[in-house]
Amino acid sequence: MKTFAYFDSTHEFPEEIIIASQMNPYKILGKADFSTELADQYIPPFICANARSFLNQAIEESSNWEGIAIAHGCDATNRQFDIWDQHVKTQFLYYIHNPLKTDGIAQRFFIREIKAMITALESHFNIKISLDQLENAIQVSNQIKILLQNLSKLRLTKDISNTEYFDVLKFTVQNPKEKVIPYLESISMDWLSRNPFPINKFPIFLTGSDITHSLWFDLLEKVNLRVVRDDLSIGERYYATLIPTDEDSISNIVNYYLNIPRSSTKHPITPRINYIMNACKTEKIAGVVSQIIKFCETFAYDAPFLKIQLEAIHMPVIHLEREFTENIDQQISTRLEAFVELLEQNQN
Amino acid sequence: MKMNSTTSSKLSTRKLVKTLKSSQKISELIKWYMLKAKINEYLPWKKSAWITSSLPVELLWGLNIFPLHPENNACISGARKVSLDLIEHAESLGYSRDVCSYMKTNVGAYDKKISIRIGGIAKPDFVVTAGSICDTHVKWFQIQARRMDVPIFVFDVPHIVSGTSKSTKIRYKEYLIEQIYDFFDFVEATTGKKLNEKYVLKIWENSARLSDLWQQIYEHRKNIPSPVGYADTLGDIFPLVLLPGLKKSIKYFEDLLKEVEEYVALGKGALLKEEEKFRLMFEGIPMWYRIKFFHQLMNYGAIVTYEPYTFSFGASRPHVDNLEDGVNAMAESMLQQPYFYNLSDRIAYFKDVIKKYHIDGVLLHENMSCRPSCTGMYDLKQKIQQDLGIPVLLFTCDMTDPRAYGKEQMQTRIESFMEILEQSKSKRLDY
Ligand code: SF4
Ligand code: SF4
């Protein structure tokens, strides 16, 4: 199956269109080795390293992809599109604007935007994306989301490491969906048979900039913080909501993307904050780890308000700015250990 | 050639000078605006709004809403050298060292209730913003609207990336037009103020006239010697930023233009003709706490004669005689401004300016606060140097956070750049 890659800063790209066009939607997440050297020639070091690593991977691997789309999320998407245009070799580079807002005007615009993308794909790849194919794609997408929802629930009751959870999500957003479904089904069997949630671990909610490498999940695991809920895009944001099926396919897709717990890059921020607050109020959450990758402004702006909100409900919260590196930052480890001590005191 | 000790201290010798007499009258306009802002604060039936530079301020004037401009006030705080204290206040609330210093200056200015004369700003009836230039504009106003408990309106402006097709541009424009009418409804619901078509047409007419005058002033900056440098224009843009629809502003620009024309007729410049050695283009927001930098460049015979930043505020506006055309023109200007051109348009624009304004060198302010405007600068630099053989100095700084300005380092970099300019110019003259 052919691969079509996309860069969206959170969960903004309507991958169902690519599924419907019989290609594999591959979310660009950078290479495992954290490389950014090629991209560093074009993007200043004080711009988030996630986006730089995506460009780096694209410069190296674009020949494996039929085309690339960038969906608007944060400034990195639209501003760096032009740099991709200059330096990434591809036959098809497309930009789609996922609206900032969710009102009726935005909704109508997004429908037109998606239709325009379909036309561009049909014309470039000489294909026809039928309504049936779109409906099937929605079904497939929903099937995956339901499987992920069920798996996610197991995090609260079973011994599932942070990295295992991340790996499942990463696999899901990068592989052909017909491979993903049996894969998730087998994971489900495995996770159901796991031991109960370990007593020495603290169940936490993880929020902030997207995490693209398992290293950070490992770090949390090492200090006994177990991520049982999150609102990351390679996480719950991707599957928290199902795509509605009550209107025509394009409207359904639009309604879905405008009604998920959108990230800090969108307006208003209430859905994101409410999502976190609800989870903290309804689940057994011991604390919240709010983190941003250095220079991720949109999430950085929301961090103080989120902290105040959580403190108001007496939820322990730590905010961290992390570097993009293969090495564990000792200072961050120490801060996390201090946070764990606080949770221990709370427990007693 | 190595600079001797006399030249090496040039960046700190020249005093602040206003080159044009008419420019000095800007303080009267500023005072008038500040007085109005103060009066507005105390009269409950007067309505005001915060607006960002990504939006045409005519939107507010046309609705009889008094515009307050946090970015403008942050510049004032920077120029009055109080911004650091305000920034540190915002950082103490948890705002990262890495986020835009305009935003943090505003948070500090508002919380500390500093005087409008040094960048203070009053609580508005609502805030309006857009994401066309940066995410910060949206995030900043989301935060402040919530903290002040006032309504917010956000324009969603899609980006014209490289290669955007004509049909996409039309789709984007239609989207914006719908939002402009939605904004009118929002203002009516929030403040009771209705759009007065006759009045808004007058505002647009004055605004178009103001931009025409600005364009004419810019045309004269092509002359050698250049009659106006950045040391003047960074203050001159005030009417374009805040008072574009007013007769007062037109009068100010008419006087400015007249004086510029006189200068040109007499062959006079901001520097004497024999002193003007290097004509520069400056990309980015100036370092407001270090305005004398632009005066001091003149010690090297260098004059900044084109800035996309100041040009953008007065980019040409069509003369319109009905609401529909006016809204249409506004939507177009919200989509495309030199300050946020995509990379290919930006490169073409720079090349054009460099030729038309006889530019010898380009200063690119890699502004730590402004990630979006810095994206693409490496390509821009490379293209200018490679395709036109024009030296480019890219320096890292910040517009209101003085912690980012290394005086010694800056001096060294400017001096070596002047040497490079010297060599490059003599090479080009050899042809
Ligand atoms: S980490 Fe933040 S700045 Fe970077 S791409 Fe994601 S949302 Fe944008
Ligand atoms: S300096 Fe840049 S990031 Fe800050 S408000 Fe202005 S355009 Fe936005």
Side-chain angles (χ1 to χ4, degrees):
Chain A
M1 178 177 254
K2 289 173 178 170
T3 298
F4 186 95
Y6 64 93
F7 162 23
D8 58 354
S9 49
T10 63
H11 177 37
E12 286 105 5
F13 181 69
E15 62 169 353
E16 290 69 26
I17 310 299
I18 303 303
I19 303 174
S21 57
Q22 314 300 315
M23 290 189 277
N24 168 33
Y26 173 92
K27 187 174 170 95
I28 302 171
L29 292 175
K31 287 175 52 181
D33 62 2
F34 289 80
S35 47
T36 62
E37 294 79 10
L38 296 173
D40 292 346
Q41 299 170 72
Y42 312 117
I43 305 179
F46 57 88
I47 286 178
C48 102
N50 271 0
R52 279 185 283 131
S53 73
F54 302 162
L55 172 60
N56 212 87
Q57 184 187 1
I59 294 172
E60 283 187 49
E61 295 181 1
S62 63
S63 59
N64 302 331
W65 307 331
E66 295 304 304
I68 304 169
I70 298 185
H72 179 252
C74 68
D75 283 337
T77 50
N78 55 291
R79 292 286 185 159
Q80 290 179 31
F81 177 93
D82 303 333
I83 294 174
W84 288 56
D85 187 42
Q86 301 261 338
H87 303 291
V88 176
K89 288 195 179 72
T90 178
Q91 294 294 317
F92 185 82
L93 181 66
Y94 194 83
Y95 181 75
I96 178 162
H97 185 84
N98 180 321
L100 199 58
K101 301 194 285 183
T102 55
D103 59 13
I105 299 174
Q107 200 178 11
R108 289 193 293 280
F109 168 77
F110 202 23
I111 289 176
R112 294 197 290 272
E113 200 58 0
I114 288 187
K115 283 184 177 165
M117 185 172 90
I118 291 176
T119 310
L121 287 166
E122 286 179 334
S123 141
H124 179 82
F125 294 105
N126 199 19
I127 51 171
K128 185 91 200 105
I129 300 174
S130 68
L131 286 177
D132 275 356
Q133 284 169 323
L134 281 172
E135 265 168 37
N136 284 341
I138 290 173
Q139 265 179 29
V140 167
S141 210
N142 276 343
Q143 199 181 345
I144 288 170
K145 289 181 200 302
I146 292 168
L147 284 165
L148 287 169
Q149 285 173 358
N150 292 334
L151 281 176
S152 175
K153 279 186 204 134
L154 294 174
R155 289 189 291 167
L156 287 149
T157 54
K158 299 281 185 182
D159 186 7
I160 293 139
S161 77
N162 295 336
T163 312
E164 285 176 297
Y165 171 69
F166 173 76
D167 288 345
V168 164
L169 262 298
K170 190 172 172 188
F171 185 90
T172 304
V173 296
Q174 293 196 319
N175 284 282
K177 303 305 174 199
E178 60 268 26
K179 260 197 198 170
V180 170
I181 293 172
Y183 166 79
L184 293 179
E185 283 166 347
S186 75
I187 294 285
S188 178
M189 299 294 282
D190 172 18
W191 286 13
L192 276 167
S193 65
R194 293 291 178 89
N195 288 332
F197 190 89
I199 47 166
N200 65 330
K201 303 271 178 195
F202 288 97
I204 58 149
F205 191 104
L206 179 62
T207 185
S209 322
D210 277 336
I211 299 173
T212 50
H213 289 73
S214 61
L215 188 90
W216 226 77
F217 284 92
D218 268 344
L219 171 63
L220 295 175
E221 190 77 45
K222 280 196 184 106
V223 292
N224 286 333
L225 295 174
R226 186 53 77 75
V227 181
V228 294
R229 293 292 308 270
D230 67 87
D231 71 338
L232 305 179
S233 314
I234 312 144
E236 288 187 35
R237 185 171 295 121
Y238 183 77
Y239 59 78
T241 319
L242 295 184
I243 305 172
T245 48
D246 50 348
E247 288 185 46
D248 65 281
S249 304
I250 294 178
S251 302
N252 288 333
I253 291 170
V254 162
N255 291 337
Y256 168 75
Y257 283 95
L258 298 187
N259 288 297
I260 57 172
R262 302 174 102 207
S263 78
S264 289
T265 64
K266 300 294 178 190
H267 179 76
I269 61 152
T270 350
R272 174 178 174 234
I273 302 290
N274 290 348
Y275 191 79
I276 301 169
M277 299 303 286
N278 284 343
C280 290
K281 284 176 191 162
T282 56
E283 308 279 11
K284 261 186 85 183
I285 304 280
V288 174
V289 173
S290 151
Q291 53 70 45
I292 58 158
I293 185 167
K294 200 159 170 56
F295 307 122
C296 172
E297 275 185 294
T298 49
F299 283 94
Y301 279 122
D302 286 345
F305 176 63
L306 176 63
K307 196 159 179 275
I308 292 169
Q309 295 292 104
L310 290 165
E311 282 167 354
I313 58 161
H314 307 292
M315 176 58 66
V317 52
I318 183 171
H319 178 69
L320 302 160
E321 280 190 20
R322 63 185 161 89
E323 302 280 347
F324 187 77
T325 156
E326 269 178 291
N327 308 313
I328 303 271
D329 181 332
Q330 206 42 54
Q331 213 188 346
I332 288 195
S333 285
T334 314
R335 286 194 61 201
L336 282 170
E337 279 160 15
F339 183 62
V340 171
E341 274 172 34
L342 174 85
L343 299 184
E344 276 164 358
Q345 282 164 22
N346 282 356
Q347 199 177 39
N348 300 330
Chain B
M1 183 191 88
K2 256 265 115 344
M3 295 268 173
N4 60 35
S5 57
T6 335
T7 47
S8 72
S9 57
K10 278 181 176 173
L11 206 54
S12 49
T13 51
R14 190 180 277 257
K15 293 203 178 84
L16 289 180
V17 277
K18 270 280 173 203
T19 51
L20 295 177
K21 271 202 211 89
S22 338
S23 280
Q24 289 162 19
K25 289 198 197 130
I26 194 70
S27 58
E28 287 168 27
L29 269 183
I30 296 174
K31 273 187 206 144
W32 178 87
Y33 168 79
M34 286 181 175
L35 185 70
K36 275 273 191 190
K38 264 294 171 237
I39 295 172
N40 251 275
E41 221 178 308
Y42 294 107
L43 303 177
W45 61 90
K46 297 272 185 194
K47 303 292 174 194
S48 65
W50 285 13
I51 189 165
T52 47
S53 55
S54 40
L55 292 168
V57 75
E58 295 90 328
L59 261 180
L60 296 181
W61 283 111
L63 287 151
N64 206 4
I65 304 286
F66 189 80
L68 299 168
H69 208 292
E71 281 152 286
N72 178 71
N73 294 40
C75 306
I76 297 174
S77 298
R80 294 301 187 101
K81 304 204 185 331
V82 296
S83 53
L84 182 56
D85 180 42
L86 308 174
I87 290 168
E88 284 175 344
H89 166 79
E91 288 174 357
S92 75
L93 300 178
Y95 293 103
S96 166
R97 169 98 191 225
D98 298 324
V99 301
C100 172
S101 62
Y102 269 174
M103 179 272 179
K104 287 184 287 186
T105 303
N106 169 254
V107 167
Y110 183 79
D111 285 6
K112 293 189 162 212
K113 302 202 180 323
I114 60 168
S115 155
I116 189 169
R117 282 178 291 112
I118 54 169
I121 193 161
K123 179 177 172 176
D125 292 287
F126 65 89
V127 302
V128 55
T129 187
S132 42
I133 304 184
C134 60
D135 291 332
T136 291
H137 280 156
V138 176
K139 300 308 296 176
W140 171 1
F141 276 31
Q142 278 178 344
I143 290 166
Q144 289 293 60
R146 187 174 59 230
R147 295 175 86 231
M148 298 185 294
D149 194 21
V150 297
I152 178 170
F153 188 94
V154 178
F155 278 95
D156 180 21
V157 185
H159 301 91
I160 311 271
V161 295
S162 299
T164 301
S165 68
K166 219 172 164 184
S167 61
T168 301
K169 285 182 187 164
I170 293 171
R171 189 165 69 246
Y172 288 178
K173 191 168 85 178
E174 286 168 354
Y175 180 39
L176 271 178
I177 290 173
E178 269 198 89
Q179 293 181 66
I180 293 173
Y181 285 107
D182 191 37
F183 175 68
F184 295 154
D185 293 343
F186 163 86
V187 173
E188 191 175 342
T190 311
T191 66
K193 299 269 184 191
K194 275 191 189 155
L195 185 77
N196 176 335
E197 194 170 334
K198 229 172 128 187
Y199 184 59
V200 81
L201 286 173
K202 190 83 222 139
I203 296 285
W204 280 333
E205 186 48 37
N206 288 344
S207 173
R209 168 83 183 126
L210 197 70
S211 294
D212 287 348
L213 290 165
W214 190 240
Q215 307 268 317
Q216 287 179 55
I217 292 167
Y218 249 87
E219 273 299 301
H220 289 300
R221 299 182 83 191
K222 289 177 182 166
N223 280 287
I224 302 175
S226 171
V228 198
Y230 202 4
D232 271 21
T233 53
L234 56 82
D236 292 335
I237 54 168
F238 178 75
L240 292 163
V241 178
L242 270 157
L243 315 171
L246 305 192
K247 283 266 191 267
K248 283 183 191 338
S249 310
I250 293 176
K251 173 79 177 79
Y252 174 73
F253 271 19
E254 280 171 350
D255 291 348
L256 210 60
L257 177 62
K258 204 167 148 228
E259 197 180 344
V260 166
E261 284 169 346
E262 281 164 15
Y263 261 53
V264 171
L266 295 169
K268 268 174 73 180
L271 285 168
L272 295 175
K273 189 166 185 178
E274 56 279 16
E275 274 185 347
E276 187 183 286
K277 282 167 72 185
F278 311 121
R279 297 167 62 80
L280 306 178
M281 181 174 184
F282 185 98
E283 168 70 325
I285 308 174
M287 301 75 82
W288 292 108
Y289 48 86
R290 196 82 197 169
I291 288 172
K292 67 177 174 200
F293 171 84
F294 298 98
H295 297 262
Q296 288 163 349
L297 278 179
M298 293 184 188
N299 292 331
Y300 298 95
I303 177 113
V304 174
T305 194
Y306 195 101
E307 319 87 31
Y309 173 68
T310 61
F311 183 84
S312 279
F313 283 104
S316 93
R317 288 159 171 77
H319 293 256
V320 292
D321 57 9
N322 63 74
L323 184 65
E324 202 182 316
D325 288 353
V327 167
N328 200 53
M330 210 164 7
E332 270 172 14
S333 81
M334 282 157 80
L335 278 168
Q336 273 286 57
Q337 287 292 331
Y339 194 63
F340 53 92
Y341 274 164
N342 63 48
L343 187 57
S344 46
D345 288 350
R346 199 178 185 191
I347 291 169
Y349 167 59
F350 268 65
K351 286 184 172 176
D352 186 50
V353 168
I354 287 167
K355 283 191 188 130
K356 287 189 176 142
Y357 286 75
H358 319 288
I359 299 292
D360 300 307
V362 178
L363 294 170
L364 298 179
H365 179 187
E366 191 181 47
N367 186 340
M368 303 273 292
S369 264
C370 195
R371 287 175 184 82
S373 74
C374 296
T375 311
M377 267 190 184
Y378 294 179
D379 280 285
L380 181 64
K381 178 177 188 240
Q382 204 240 348
K383 286 278 178 208
I384 297 169
Q385 287 177 331
Q386 183 188 291
D387 297 355
L388 304 179
I390 295 288
V392 180
L393 174 68
L394 186 137
F395 65 96
T396 310
C397 222
D398 189 286
M399 74 276 166
T400 28
D401 188 343
R403 293 172 298 186
Y405 189 91
K407 203 174 153 200
E408 303 299 320
Q409 195 202 18
M410 197 66 175
Q411 180 142 335
T412 316
R413 297 210 61 198
I414 288 292
E415 275 158 15
S416 15
F417 187 57
M418 292 301 148
E419 285 178 29
I420 293 167
L421 284 176
E422 186 93 53
Q423 286 161 16
S424 144
K425 203 166 175 180
S426 55
K427 257 192 229 157
R428 275 185 288 136
L429 289 176
D430 284 348
Y431 280 110

